Amino acid sequence: MVCTALLIGACGGGDDDSADDPIPGADQSATENDGEDNTDTEAPEEDTADDDTDSDRPEIDLGDDFENIYEDDETGDETTDAILRDSRGYFDAVDAAIIHQDTEHPALSYYITGDALVASVDLVSTIVGKGESASGTARIFNRSVEVFDEETAAVSFCRDFSEVDDIDHDSGDIATPADPSAKPTLYVTRVELNDVGVWQTIEYRGERGASECN
């Protein structure tokens, strides 16, 4: 296991079976998605809010030696694309906090809240305490969104970290080399829209080697 490369999930807690548990809210009827018509009606107002939110977004710099590559990044649906964008902030925030050895990186509390924030900060603190970081390229793919209502959704995606090395932050030396045979991890997250228009991750579960990621 390459714990720094995983960053969230398999190293952060929970057993593999946890990904099989339903995300709270997933049992709501799909007919609740009829609220999408209301979203379209209010689009001009939401666009203004989005502009204000974008100006307040914390900068995330992953440096020159690490990159997250996101596939399936745009669908053409305004709500889904906003959720995918902020879900992307979830991973990038944790990665940036580790790379910059900053347990109070502003992007953490911007994109993450609740139990997910507590677990993420604990994970970052552990890795920073060991003086570890990461280098290489991670690939996030098979991203999908299920909207439950106007303020709640689930996001699932796979992360391939087989090209990521664990490194010593100060020296840059490789502590644990990338494992080309490492299986991708499936993540299932719950996100909620906060008062300033950000879809924050509030829960997550991870499963290594899930069939959805093969």
Side-chain angles (χ1 to χ4, degrees), residues 15 22 33 41 46 48 64 87 92 94 98 103 110 152 157 165 175 185 187-188 201:
D15 53 31
N33 287 338
T41 302
E46 289 181 2
T48 302
D64 297 329
S87 174
D92 286 349
V94 176
I98 291 172
T103 59
Y110 189 87
T152 312
F157 46 88
D165 299 312
T185 298
Y187 293 90
V188 181
T201 296

Side-chain angles (χ1 to χ4, degrees), residues 49-60 82 85-87 89 106-107 110-111 196-199:
D50 285 347
D51 290 341
D52 294 339
T53 302
D54 288 343
S55 66
D56 295 332
R57 291 181 183 275
E59 180 180 357
I60 297 181
R85 176 196 60 196
D86 291 345
S87 174
Y110 189 87
Y111 289 107
V196 296
V198 179
W199 289 90

Side-chain angles (χ1 to χ4, degrees), residues 22-192:
I23 288 291
D27 57 349
Q28 299 183 37
S29 171
T31 59
E32 293 181 6
N33 287 338
D34 290 341
E36 290 177 356
D37 291 337
N38 294 331
T39 301
D40 292 338
T41 302
E42 299 173 2
E45 180 178 346
E46 289 181 2
D47 287 344
T48 302
D50 285 347
D51 290 341
D52 294 339
T53 302
D54 288 343
S55 66
D56 295 332
R57 291 181 183 275
E59 180 180 357
I60 297 181
D61 177 14
L62 299 181
D64 297 329
D65 299 322
F66 184 86
E67 181 181 12
N68 282 322
I69 296 177
Y70 293 87
E71 300 180 1
D72 319 306
D73 215 20
E74 293 186 1
T75 67
D77 178 81
E78 182 179 353
T79 299
T80 299
D81 289 348
I83 293 170
L84 288 174
R85 176 196 60 196
D86 291 345
S87 174
R88 174 175 181 160
Y90 157 62
F91 262 132
D92 286 349
V94 176
D95 291 339
I98 291 172
I99 289 168
H100 296 288
Q101 305 283 279
D102 183 2
T103 59
E104 298 182 356
H105 194 292
L108 288 172
S109 58
Y110 189 87
Y111 289 107
I112 314 170
T113 192
D115 292 343
L117 179 60
V118 173
S120 297
V121 170
D122 285 348
L123 177 61
V124 171
S125 298
T126 298
I127 294 174
V128 169
K130 295 178 180 180
E132 296 178 347
S133 187
S135 66
T137 301
R139 184 172 65 95
I140 296 87
F141 61 100
N142 282 1
R143 304 173 75 201
S144 65
V145 174
E146 181 178 0
V147 178
F148 301 134
D149 54 46
E150 292 182 352
E151 297 182 349
T152 312
V155 185
S156 64
F157 46 88
C158 302
R159 193 181 203 207
D160 178 0
F161 52 90
S162 61
E163 297 181 8
V164 178
D165 299 312
D166 286 353
I167 64 171
D168 180 272
H169 179 266
D170 291 334
S171 68
D173 294 338
I174 295 177
T176 306
D179 179 4
S181 66
K183 295 181 179 296
T185 298
L186 170 69
Y187 293 90
V188 181
T189 68
R190 171 173 167 150
V191 297
E192 288 187 354

